[in-house]
Amino acid sequence: MKLYRLVKEDRCGNLGASGLADRWNFATDPCLHVKDHPAMCLVESDLVTGLFTVPDGYMIEELDVPDSIAYIGEER
């Protein structure tokens, strides 16, 4: 399965989560925020820039995730 994330260029390829609290997680639950389509990364970038563009110094990274990865749903 292909997933995408908006990431600073110098963090591309680094799949280590920061361990910081963010919009969707607590600091005790480090995670990577990914989308199912590159266009959704542009929606996220709009929160930063006010424009549907990839901000300077960022890129959209494509991740090839095995289907065997466990999915954790909203209820959790």
Side-chain angles (χ1 to χ4, degrees):
M1 148 178 49
K2 300 277 187 209
L3 295 175
Y4 306 87
R5 69 180 188 142
L6 184 66
V7 62
K8 288 184 178 180
E9 288 179 359
D10 64 344
R11 302 251 330 138
C12 183
N14 181 348
L15 298 180
S18 67
L20 299 175
D22 207 346
R23 289 188 304 270
W24 310 111
N25 65 290
F26 297 107
T28 55
D29 300 316
C31 68
L32 296 176
H33 298 280
V34 297
K35 283 71 174 164
D36 62 349
H37 195 280
M40 293 306 295
C41 294
L42 295 180
V43 172
E44 180 181 358
S45 74
D46 182 56
L47 299 173
V48 176
T49 65
L51 304 168
F52 289 102
T53 61
V54 177
D56 288 340
Y58 283 76
M59 62 183 298
I60 296 174
E61 181 177 23
E62 181 181 275
L63 304 172
D64 191 14
V65 180
D67 292 331
S68 61
I69 296 294
Y71 172 77
I72 299 173
E74 287 180 37
E75 66 282 353
R76 218 170 134 207

